[in-house]
Amino acid sequence: ETGVTQSPTHLIKTRGQQVTLRCSSQSGHNTVSWYQQALGQGPQFIFQYYREEENGRGNFPPRFSGIQFPNYSSELNVNALELDDSALYLCASSLGRPPRGGYTFGSGTRLTVV
Amino acid sequence: ELKVEQNPLFLSMQEGKNYTIYCNYSTTSDRLYWYRQDPGKSLESLFVLLSNGAVKQEGRLMASLDTKARLSTLHITAAVHDLSATYFCAVGDDKIIFGKGTRLHILP
């Protein structure tokens, strides 16, 4: 059983650029949640996808968008990057609503915006 | 809107001592999670508490949930240096919301 895989692990972008982060969910999981964790802070909920549909969104602007594919993998896209977007982006997968067995987190993508 | 508060936010303690981290939340939920995070790393699941009165223990850590009081505790018994990390609680029935974390530093 594979865990949650995120790519890339590290990324440096320039302000104003666009970025796409990828997440492969754990085998058998159908729900993916994305979180942003700024340095020294707790993870902030961005949005969740359940069976390819958005299932809730946190307090993030529309330039944060996502998609979930039929194999339940997911991408997070951020347009018009700002310096404050620098953070660790975490993906978590789970099975069912509410999830049975909790959430499994990936290792994260460290995004630096310069 | 669900809010999750942890306290203390920072804790420095000696090895061998006991201490408790508190997690309060603002709306009704029967599901609470505790995670550990080491510097620069992702989140490691410690406990999943799914009902009122749930208590789980793993080694020197014990977590409990009181849904009526909207309170969970993470108790550390006879702390050792290896437990130094940041501990997060997260609450939610469908999507989980995290507290700000408790940075635990255990002095050898």
Side-chain angles (χ1 to χ4, degrees):
Chain A
E1 178 182 281
T2 58
V4 177
T5 305
Q6 291 187 244
S7 64
T9 55
H10 295 82
L11 201 53
I12 300 175
K13 288 286 190 177
T14 303
R15 190 171 47 183
Q17 285 188 314
Q18 171 264 339
V19 68
T20 297
L21 310 182
R22 295 175 176 81
C23 172
S24 293
S25 58
Q26 181 169 314
S27 177
H29 284 187
N30 55 15
T31 304
V32 171
S33 305
W34 285 92
Y35 289 84
Q36 180 197 66
Q37 187 179 22
L39 202 60
Q41 302 295 316
Q44 298 292 310
F45 175 71
I46 303 175
F47 41 57
Q48 182 185 82
Y49 282 87
Y50 172 68
R51 293 185 175 180
E52 304 178 59
E53 297 287 329
E54 187 179 287
N55 176 45
R57 186 181 181 91
N59 189 25
F60 281 81
R63 60 189 184 84
F64 285 77
S65 62
I67 186 170
Q68 187 180 32
F69 298 101
N71 67 354
Y72 302 130
S73 67
S74 178
E75 291 181 352
L76 163 65
N77 188 74
V78 186
N79 290 324
L81 284 166
E82 301 177 359
L83 297 179
D84 284 350
D85 295 334
S86 295
L88 178 67
Y89 287 84
L90 294 165
C91 166
S93 74
S94 55
L95 174 62
R97 295 175 55 195
R100 298 186 281 280
Y103 296 80
T104 302
F105 279 82
S107 298
T109 294
R110 174 75 61 187
L111 173 65
T112 302
V113 182
V114 298
Chain B
E1 180 186 340
L2 174 59
K3 293 189 187 303
V4 181
E5 290 188 357
Q6 286 183 239
N7 70 84
L9 297 181
F10 183 79
L11 177 57
S12 181
M13 56 192 290
Q14 296 283 340
E15 276 193 329
K17 299 290 187 183
N18 303 333
Y19 209 80
T20 301
I21 299 170
Y22 297 89
C23 175
N24 291 90
Y25 54 97
S26 61
T27 64
T28 57
S29 176
D30 289 334
R31 308 173 76 86
L32 189 137
Y33 307 81
W34 284 97
Y35 289 90
R36 168 181 172 149
Q37 188 176 41
D38 292 297
K41 305 292 187 181
S42 187
L43 297 167
E44 174 192 351
S45 179
L46 295 175
F47 300 109
V48 180
L49 303 172
L50 299 178
S51 61
N52 185 42
V55 177
K56 290 194 175 180
Q57 183 164 5
E58 181 72 34
R60 300 175 188 274
L61 301 178
M62 183 174 71
S64 65
L65 177 61
D66 181 344
T67 59
K68 291 184 171 60
R70 301 177 188 173
L71 170 68
S72 179
T73 60
L74 180 66
H75 187 72
I76 303 153
T77 301
V80 293
H81 180 65
D82 285 352
L83 290 178
S84 296
T86 299
Y87 292 84
F88 291 97
C89 67
V91 181
D93 294 325
D94 195 2
K95 301 165 282 293
I96 57 173
I97 304 300
F98 283 80
K100 291 185 176 181
T102 297
R103 288 182 61 192
L104 178 61
H105 182 51
I106 299 172
L107 304 171

Coordinates of all heavy atoms in Angstrom, one line a residue, chain B residues 65-94:
Chain B
L65 N -10.9 12.7 24.6 CA -11.8 13.6 24.0 C -13.1 13.7 24.8 O -13.7 12.7 25.2 CB -12.2 13.1 22.6 CG -13.2 13.9 21.8 CD1 -12.7 15.3 21.6 CD2 -13.5 13.2 20.5
D66 N -13.5 14.9 25.1 CA -14.8 15.2 25.7 C -15.5 16.1 24.8 O -15.3 17.3 24.7 CB -14.5 15.9 27.1 CG -15.8 16.3 27.8 OD1 -16.9 16.2 27.2 OD2 -15.7 16.6 29.0
T67 N -16.5 15.5 24.0 CA -17.2 16.3 23.0 C -18.2 17.3 23.7 O -18.5 18.3 23.1 CB -17.9 15.4 22.1 OG1 -18.9 14.5 22.8 CG2 -17.0 14.5 21.3
K68 N -18.6 17.0 24.9 CA -19.6 17.9 25.5 C -18.9 19.2 25.9 O -19.4 20.3 25.8 CB -20.2 17.2 26.7 CG -21.2 16.1 26.4 CD -21.8 15.5 27.6 CE -22.9 14.5 27.3 NZ -22.4 13.4 26.5
A69 N -17.7 19.1 26.4 CA -16.9 20.2 26.8 C -16.1 20.8 25.6 O -15.5 21.8 25.7 CB -15.9 19.9 27.9
R70 N -16.2 20.1 24.4 CA -15.4 20.5 23.2 C -13.9 20.6 23.6 O -13.3 21.6 23.3 CB -16.0 21.7 22.6 CG -17.4 21.6 22.2 CD -18.0 22.8 21.7 NE -19.5 22.7 21.5 CZ -20.3 23.7 21.1 NH1 -19.8 24.9 20.9 NH2 -21.5 23.5 20.9
L71 N -13.4 19.6 24.2 CA -12.0 19.6 24.7 C -11.4 18.3 24.5 O -11.9 17.2 24.8 CB -12.1 20.0 26.2 CG -10.8 19.8 27.0 CD1 -9.8 20.9 26.5 CD2 -11.0 19.9 28.5
S72 N -10.1 18.4 24.0 CA -9.3 17.2 24.0 C -8.0 17.5 24.7 O -7.5 18.7 24.7 CB -9.0 16.8 22.6 OG -8.1 15.6 22.5
T73 N -7.4 16.5 25.3 CA -6.1 16.7 26.0 C -5.1 15.7 25.4 O -5.5 14.5 25.0 CB -6.2 16.5 27.5 OG1 -6.7 15.2 27.8 CG2 -7.1 17.5 28.1
L74 N -3.9 16.1 25.4 CA -2.7 15.2 25.0 C -1.8 15.2 26.2 O -1.2 16.3 26.5 CB -2.0 15.7 23.8 CG -0.8 14.8 23.3 CD1 -1.3 13.4 22.9 CD2 -0.1 15.5 22.1
H75 N -1.7 14.1 26.9 CA -0.9 14.0 28.1 C 0.4 13.3 27.8 O 0.4 12.3 27.2 CB -1.7 13.3 29.2 CG -1.0 13.3 30.5 ND1 -1.0 14.5 31.3 CD2 -0.3 12.4 31.2 CE1 -0.3 14.2 32.4 NE2 0.1 12.9 32.4
I76 N 1.4 13.9 28.3 CA 2.8 13.4 28.2 C 3.3 12.9 29.5 O 3.3 13.7 30.5 CB 3.7 14.5 27.6 CG1 3.2 15.0 26.3 CG2 5.1 13.9 27.4 CD1 3.6 16.4 26.0
T77 N 3.6 11.7 29.6 CA 4.1 11.1 30.8 C 5.6 10.8 30.8 O 6.1 10.2 29.8 CB 3.4 9.7 31.1 OG1 2.0 9.9 31.1 CG2 3.9 9.1 32.4
A78 N 6.3 11.3 31.8 CA 7.8 11.1 31.9 C 8.5 11.4 30.6 O 9.1 10.6 29.9 CB 8.1 9.7 32.3
A79 N 8.4 12.7 30.2 CA 8.9 13.1 28.9 C 10.3 12.7 28.6 O 11.2 12.8 29.5 CB 8.7 14.6 28.8
V80 N 10.6 12.4 27.4 CA 12.0 12.2 26.9 C 12.3 13.1 25.8 O 11.3 13.6 25.1 CB 12.2 10.7 26.5 CG1 12.1 9.8 27.7 CG2 11.2 10.3 25.4
H81 N 13.6 13.3 25.5 CA 14.0 14.3 24.5 C 13.4 14.0 23.2 O 13.1 15.0 22.4 CB 15.5 14.4 24.5 CG 16.0 15.3 23.5 ND1 15.8 16.7 23.6 CD2 16.7 15.2 22.3 CE1 16.4 17.3 22.6 NE2 16.9 16.4 21.8
D82 N 13.2 12.7 22.8 CA 12.7 12.4 21.5 C 11.3 12.8 21.2 O 10.9 12.8 20.1 CB 12.8 10.8 21.3 CG 14.2 10.3 21.1 OD1 15.1 11.2 20.9 OD2 14.4 9.1 21.1
L83 N 10.6 13.3 22.3 CA 9.2 13.8 22.1 C 9.2 15.2 21.7 O 8.2 15.8 21.4 CB 8.4 13.6 23.3 CG 8.1 12.1 23.6 CD1 7.3 12.0 24.9 CD2 7.3 11.5 22.5
S84 N 10.4 15.9 21.6 CA 10.4 17.3 21.2 C 9.9 17.4 19.7 O 10.5 16.7 18.8 CB 11.9 17.8 21.3 OG 12.3 17.8 22.6
A85 N 8.9 18.2 19.5 CA 8.3 18.4 18.2 C 7.2 19.4 18.4 O 7.0 19.9 19.5 CB 7.7 17.0 17.7
T86 N 6.5 19.6 17.3 CA 5.3 20.5 17.3 C 4.1 19.5 17.2 O 4.0 18.7 16.4 CB 5.2 21.5 16.2 OG1 6.3 22.4 16.4 CG2 3.9 22.3 16.3
Y87 N 3.1 19.7 18.1 CA 1.9 18.8 18.2 C 0.7 19.7 17.8 O 0.5 20.8 18.3 CB 1.7 18.3 19.6 CG 2.8 17.3 19.9 CD1 4.1 17.7 20.4 CD2 2.7 15.9 19.7 CE1 5.1 16.8 20.7 CE2 3.7 15.0 20.0 CZ 4.9 15.5 20.5 OH 5.9 14.6 20.7
F88 N -0.1 19.1 16.9 CA -1.3 19.8 16.4 C -2.5 18.9 16.7 O -2.5 17.7 16.6 CB -1.2 20.0 14.8 CG -0.2 21.0 14.4 CD1 1.0 20.5 13.9 CD2 -0.5 22.3 14.3 CE1 2.0 21.4 13.4 CE2 0.4 23.2 13.9 CZ 1.7 22.8 13.4
C89 N -3.6 19.6 17.1 CA -4.9 19.0 17.1 C -5.6 19.5 15.9 O -5.4 20.6 15.4 CB -5.6 19.2 18.4 SG -6.1 20.9 18.7
A90 N -6.5 18.7 15.4 CA -7.4 19.0 14.2 C -8.7 18.5 14.5 O -8.9 17.3 15.0 CB -6.8 18.5 12.9
V91 N -9.8 19.2 14.1 CA -11.1 18.9 14.4 C -12.0 19.0 13.2 O -11.8 19.8 12.3 CB -11.7 19.8 15.5 CG1 -13.2 19.4 15.8 CG2 -10.9 19.8 16.7
G92 N -12.9 18.0 13.0 CA -13.9 18.1 11.9 C -14.5 16.8 11.6 O -13.8 15.8 11.8
D93 N -15.7 16.9 11.1 CA -16.4 15.6 10.7 C -16.1 15.3 9.3 O -16.2 14.1 8.9 CB -17.9 15.8 10.9 CG -18.3 15.9 12.4 OD1 -17.6 15.3 13.2 OD2 -19.2 16.7 12.7
D94 N -15.9 16.3 8.5 CA -15.7 16.0 7.0 C -14.4 16.6 6.6 O -13.5 16.0 6.1 CB -16.8 16.7 6.2 CG -16.9 16.2 4.8 OD1 -16.0 15.3 4.5 OD2 -17.8 16.6 4.1

